[in-house]
Amino acid sequence: METVIMIAQLILGLSILVGLHEFGHLLAAKAFGMRVEQFSIGFPPKIFSFKYGETEYALSAIPLGGFVKISGMIDESLDTKNMDKVPEPYEFRAKPAWQRLIVMMGGIIVNVITGIIIFIFLQYGYGETYQSKENITENGIYAYEPAKEIGLQTGDIIINVNGKEYEKVRDLTSSDVLLESDSYYTVLRDGKEIVIPIPNDMIERISEDNQRVAFIEPLYEFEVDNITPQSNADMAGLLPGDKIIAVNGEEIKYFQFFKERLAENQGKEVRLTVKRNEKIEQLQALVSDEGTLGFTFQPQIKIEHEKFTFAESIPTGTAKAFNVIWLNIKGFGKIFRGEVSASESLSGPIGIAQIFGGEWVWQKFWGITGLLSMVLAFMNFLPIPALDGGHVVFLSYEIISGRKPSDKFLENAQKVGMVLLLSLMAFAIFNDIWKVIF
């Protein structure tokens, strides 16, 4: 069922974004009197279509893209049979270069606007929930294995990152930090300040199946919350509100240490020292083979929630949207500098589906869709023939020089671009399959 939900979210998200992208081209083309022969979400074979006016609107079976067929334009269809004739007034090639440029930018502009709108409404509708720096300064961090590998230790207090103050715990592992070269943490350990360099490939080290793996988190105390009926916790006599303060006589203050003790005693009985209504109780509990007892817990940690008015959401949402593009630029820079591998950094449809995840949460769905909208705009703006950015380069050259590239040159450039895009797509899909299998 999780796989079905992943696929459904992928198809819905891409269909929305591709449909809007191609609709941007269509609107601009029609605004300048160009004939649009076909508008398709997805690639053939067609599932169904209908004709309205001069345009056929289609939904096709392969949901990995879409296209708009504009008369007199050399595009991915490579339909050039009428290019040797005198252009009709309604053809793309008959229009001024500035109009053709706007048509080619139409899809990118719509994707940028879509991303901005999504982020604005997410800010307004949900606000931001986060753990503040205070949680770390009070108790220090718990260092998972990737953190230990770079020199962090449990109990460290992270003072700043890259010499700058931070406000939220998530700022420590934000893409801004991990995509920067030569980043570092300044930590307080045993009363001394220590600099811990962050490896340039850290973002790879803490990613698995396109999801972040445990790296660091604040140490926090906890209370027992809900007890699963007939579970080992229920049988042992644990009650909601209990505070487990020791396991087998060893004092336990933080939840992370409690999890460690359970993992060490899988399938064994343990003695729990419990504080209940200011009294101390001793309980015997059997730890499952998975290292659990069967209860949920209430973390004793400060959670902040910031709400935004609609007016406040406009600049913060817009900044979040454009930050996605900036992070993509920094990410490509890391790949070109050899700091991270392309195979680990690039994802195809399977990887994107994994990012959506196997649970349908609308806030997460729209967050990822907004992110993908900005990524789609960025990728399409790359100066590669067959992408919008390639057309923009040739049209900009025509506007500046006053000379139009020949149709033969444009046709050959389109062929080269298609080979590059198909190769990239094949690499991304094969890379996804390789990561899933191995």
Side-chain angles (χ1 to χ4, degrees), residues 109-170:
I109 292 169
V110 167
N111 277 136
V112 169
I113 292 171
T114 299
I116 290 172
I117 289 173
I118 288 174
F119 279 110
I120 287 173
F121 277 94
L122 285 174
Q123 287 287 98
Y124 179 64
Y126 296 100
E128 286 193 22
T129 300
Y130 62 92
Q131 299 174 16
S132 68
K133 177 183 179 180
E134 187 180 344
N135 289 306
I136 286 181
T137 56
E138 282 184 0
N139 302 319
I141 64 164
Y142 182 81
Y144 288 92
E145 199 56 40
K148 292 177 183 176
E149 290 174 358
I150 70 169
L152 288 170
Q153 295 181 10
T154 294
D156 283 347
I157 296 173
I158 300 179
I159 302 171
N160 59 55
V161 57
N162 291 339
K164 300 175 184 176
E165 291 293 322
Y166 64 96
E167 178 186 358
K168 304 165 186 175
V169 172
R170 65 168 177 259

Side-chain angles (χ1 to χ4, degrees), residues 142 219-224 233 238 243-248 250-265 270-274 285 287 291-297:
Y142 182 81
L219 288 164
Y220 55 85
E221 300 179 36
F222 71 104
E223 287 184 359
V224 175
L238 276 172
K243 287 195 72 172
I244 299 172
I245 59 175
V247 176
N248 289 336
E250 181 183 350
E251 184 180 346
I252 296 294
K253 185 176 182 181
Y254 302 117
F255 180 73
Q256 292 91 341
F257 297 153
F258 174 67
K259 282 203 310 182
E260 286 182 359
R261 300 295 85 77
L262 293 187
E264 293 168 357
N265 290 279
V270 294
R271 187 175 81 258
L272 303 177
T273 304
V274 174
V287 182
T292 61
L293 292 177
F295 68 85
T296 60
F297 65 95

Side-chain angles (χ1 to χ4, degrees), residues 148-318:
K148 292 177 183 176
E149 290 174 358
I150 70 169
L152 288 170
Q153 295 181 10
T154 294
D156 283 347
I157 296 173
I158 300 179
I159 302 171
N160 59 55
V161 57
N162 291 339
K164 300 175 184 176
E165 291 293 322
Y166 64 96
E167 178 186 358
K168 304 165 186 175
V169 172
R170 65 168 177 259
D171 293 340
L172 298 174
T173 54
S174 70
S175 297
D176 280 311
V177 171
L178 299 182
L179 289 175
E180 195 71 52
S181 294
D182 304 319
S183 291
Y184 62 92
Y185 297 122
T186 304
V187 307
L188 187 64
R189 181 187 300 166
D190 299 326
K192 298 178 181 179
E193 287 190 12
I194 301 172
V195 173
I196 305 292
I198 303 173
N200 289 330
D201 64 346
M202 196 70 230
I203 198 164
E204 269 187 19
R205 297 191 190 192
I206 62 172
S207 298
E208 186 175 297
D209 294 334
N210 296 294
Q211 303 292 335
R212 289 280 179 93
V213 300
F215 179 53
I216 58 173
E217 65 180 357
L219 288 164
Y220 55 85
E221 300 179 36
F222 71 104
E223 287 184 359
V224 175
D225 194 5
N226 295 314
I227 308 289
T228 304
Q230 305 302 313
S231 66
N232 293 344
D234 192 15
M235 299 298 182
L238 276 172
L239 297 175
D242 284 350
K243 287 195 72 172
I244 299 172
I245 59 175
V247 176
N248 289 336
E250 181 183 350
E251 184 180 346
I252 296 294
K253 185 176 182 181
Y254 302 117
F255 180 73
Q256 292 91 341
F257 297 153
F258 174 67
K259 282 203 310 182
E260 286 182 359
R261 300 295 85 77
L262 293 187
E264 293 168 357
N265 290 279
Q266 293 177 7
K268 301 176 184 177
E269 274 205 352
V270 294
R271 187 175 81 258
L272 303 177
T273 304
V274 174
K275 188 175 182 180
R276 180 184 297 166
N277 298 325
E278 302 306 318
K279 295 181 180 179
I280 302 299
E281 303 279 349
Q282 299 291 336
L283 306 175
Q284 290 293 126
L286 177 65
V287 182
S288 73
D289 292 338
E290 291 76 35
T292 61
L293 292 177
F295 68 85
T296 60
F297 65 95
Q298 183 66 45
Q300 307 298 296
I301 197 166
K302 294 176 182 176
I303 304 295
E304 306 287 345
H305 184 75
E306 186 176 4
K307 298 200 75 173
F308 299 90
T309 65
F310 188 72
E312 290 170 334
S313 300
I314 293 173
T316 57
T318 301

Side-chain angles (χ1 to χ4, degrees), residues 200-201 203-204 331 334-336 338-346 427 431 435:
N200 289 330
D201 64 346
I203 198 164
E204 269 187 19
K334 271 191 173 287
I335 292 173
F336 291 138
E339 295 175 359
V340 296
S341 68
S343 61
E344 291 296 327
S345 304
L346 300 178
F427 170 78
N431 189 49
K435 285 192 283 189

